[in-house]
Amino acid sequence: MSLTAITENLSLSRPVKATLSVAIFSMMMGLVGCNNASTPAENADVDSQAPDQETVTDTAAVATDSDQVVTIYSSRNEQLIKPLLDKYTEATGVKIELVTDKTGPLMARLEAEGQNTPADMLLTVDAGNLWQAAQQGLLQPVASSVLESNVPAKYRDPKGQWTGLSLRARTIFYDPSKVDANQLSTYADLADPKWKGKLCLRTSNAVYNQSLVASMIENLGAEKTEEIIRGWVDNLATDVFSNDTSMLEAIAAGQCEVGIANSYYYGRVLDEKPDFPVQIFWANQGTTGTHVNISGAGVVTNSDNPDGALKLMEWLSSDEAQGIYASADKEYPVKEGIDESEMLRSWGTFTQDNINVQKFGELQTQAIQMMDKVGYK
Ligand code: FE
């Protein structure tokens, strides 16, 4: 019997059914969990942390008026976004239910729950994930002049099914005791034989790398990109890493000299270890610009409260929320003209790649196949 059928067959009010769906689904997903190790610095996105924690914080059973409740399925860590969501509740009286898990299980849950889903909004990381959710019909298009004015078009789905809410740069990191910044230039240059045995990379299973390679296919063409990632694989100092933080630690430990990671992982490590001996380098300045991706959100297709979800998304894109949302995880605001944190300012300014992030989704399959072909694990 499907999950929807289980809860549909019970004569319960919607909020209670919602709670049951979540509980049953959690039990189902718990059976297929795995045990990836992760460091404390890796933990702000659920997508990069051990999945065996208690993640469901649903309290829909106590909710009364569904218009006054917005239920978020979130792959962002609760600690990270809860203070901001509390502010919204304080200002508007709208209660927020937060269900936290990895993106894959959340999307599977949305699919399984169908029309019975309690979810109004999907909040996750990477345009590749949001694109995938939209492809699966899990998100609905919205038209919002507020989002259009707050979020640059390149960080929104052209069909309005999702929008970026914060930015992260995926760029080059290096060991300054062995590498001079003027030896560095582009992602493509890391394929040069001069980096033989000196490069560290995260696994190609990470959507972040799939999006980076997709952006290279868009900028440089498939043939050139394949040549580059083949060169990366040839230059690897050691096996690929399961997460960005351990890759950064490997540079610090002298295992490799250069690598590619998301900027906020570096920020989190610096928070814990201000003397961390690794430097950030803005890739592709003077060419296509540094690869930038988003965290973002979309209104769930089967939401009972799409207006409430959209209002919350609009608020998250506002001046009031943007600085807090972005700086909570060392990210960059998606809205222009918002102050960055002191740490981010210390890394200097950089030119961003101008690609519409939706391309990362469109070219995802091609990127995955290409990485597989060249033996990038
Ligand atoms: Fe992450």
Side-chain angles (χ1 to χ4, degrees):
M1 185 184 279
S2 75
L3 176 59
T4 308
I6 293 168
T7 51
E8 276 299 335
N9 287 346
L10 300 171
S11 299
L12 299 171
S13 67
R14 182 190 159 271
V16 175
K17 282 197 291 184
T19 305
L20 262 179
S21 292
V22 169
I24 295 167
F25 201 89
S26 299
M27 287 190 291
M28 289 161 62
M29 295 312 296
L31 295 175
V32 296
C34 56
N35 280 310
N36 297 327
S38 71
T39 64
E42 195 75 15
N43 278 349
D45 285 334
V46 174
D47 277 329
S48 47
Q49 74 184 54
D52 55 353
Q53 63 161 18
E54 178 54 54
T55 50
V56 175
T57 53
D58 188 279
T59 50
V62 297
T64 48
D65 180 351
S66 72
D67 283 352
Q68 287 304 305
V69 180
V70 175
T71 299
I72 305 177
Y73 279 13
S74 168
S75 80
R76 310 227 71 186
N77 190 288
E78 181 173 348
Q79 281 163 284
L80 184 77
I81 53 169
K82 187 78 167 47
L84 189 58
L85 298 175
D86 286 346
K87 251 180 186 293
Y88 185 72
T89 299
E90 220 172 90
T92 61
V94 174
K95 190 168 155 39
I96 294 171
E97 314 285 355
L98 198 55
V99 177
T100 307
D101 207 333
K102 289 187 165 197
T103 303
L106 288 175
M107 279 166 54
R109 186 185 294 188
L110 282 172
E111 189 109 50
E113 289 171 342
Q115 293 192 349
N116 197 49
T117 187
D120 300 303
M121 182 196 292
L122 176 67
L123 182 70
T124 185
V125 294
D126 204 290
N129 285 334
L130 288 157
W131 180 88
Q132 193 63 49
Q135 282 298 108
Q136 287 177 229
L138 303 175
L139 303 177
Q140 59 174 282
V142 296
S144 163
S145 57
V146 174
L147 290 177
E148 279 165 28
S149 104
N150 286 346
V151 183
K154 64 179 172 177
Y155 299 127
R156 282 185 276 116
D157 173 32
K159 291 185 198 150
Q161 296 166 106
W162 46 264
T163 180
L165 292 171
S166 66
L167 302 178
R168 58 269 302 280
R170 190 158 189 77
T171 194
I172 297 172
F173 292 85
Y174 66 100
D175 175 350
S177 73
K178 293 179 185 148
V179 177
D180 194 278
N182 63 28
Q183 293 172 265
L184 296 164
S185 57
T186 60
Y187 305 105
D189 174 69
L190 297 180
D192 189 286
K194 74 183 177 196
W195 299 114
K196 183 102 184 159
K198 297 176 177 175
L199 175 66
C200 278
L201 292 176
R202 180 177 180 162
T203 170
S204 65
N205 291 334
V207 69
Y208 302 151
N209 282 333
Q210 295 163 9
S211 290
L212 172 62
V213 170
S215 77
M216 290 164 65
I217 294 171
E218 175 69 9
N219 281 330
L220 306 168
E223 207 177 316
K224 180 76 187 149
T225 303
E226 188 176 318
E227 200 180 297
I228 293 164
I229 55 174
R230 202 180 290 279
W232 287 356
V233 172
D234 285 347
N235 285 345
L236 285 178
T238 183
D239 289 348
V240 294
F241 291 82
S242 63
N243 60 64
D244 282 10
T245 307
S246 45
M247 196 284 302
L248 289 167
E249 302 275 9
I251 299 177
Q255 202 175 359
C256 36
E257 298 183 11
V258 285
I260 298 172
N262 280 0
S263 48
Y264 56 89
Y265 290 112
Y266 180 58
R268 289 182 207 163
V269 176
L270 282 181
D271 252 359
E272 289 174 20
K273 305 172 192 167
D275 299 326
F276 189 64
V278 172
Q279 287 292 325
I280 188 168
F281 178 86
W282 296 120
N284 289 37
Q285 299 301 289
T287 61
T288 54
T290 301
H291 175 72
V292 168
N293 209 317
I294 57 170
S295 85
V299 178
V300 168
T301 302
N302 289 315
S303 164
D304 284 350
N305 186 11
D307 292 344
L310 179 57
K311 281 203 186 85
L312 175 56
M313 266 162 54
E314 290 176 342
W315 184 77
L316 288 169
S317 77
S318 71
D319 286 38
E320 188 185 356
Q322 272 290 292
I324 307 170
Y325 183 74
S327 63
D329 192 24
K330 317 285 180 215
E331 291 183 286
Y332 292 89
V334 77
K335 187 172 192 288
E336 281 157 18
I338 304 289
D339 270 353
E340 291 161 4
S341 67
E342 201 179 317
M343 183 189 285
L344 267 58
R345 279 200 299 273
S346 76
W347 298 344
T349 56
F350 64 99
T351 304
Q352 302 170 5
D353 193 343
N354 227 4
I355 291 179
N356 186 311
V357 294
Q358 180 228 9
K359 280 278 170 203
F360 307 160
E362 278 178 16
L363 295 168
Q364 188 180 73
T365 303
Q366 195 183 347
I368 292 169
Q369 285 168 351
M370 188 183 284
M371 291 191 282
D372 187 50
K373 186 177 166 194
V374 303
Y376 181 179
K377 302 274 191 239

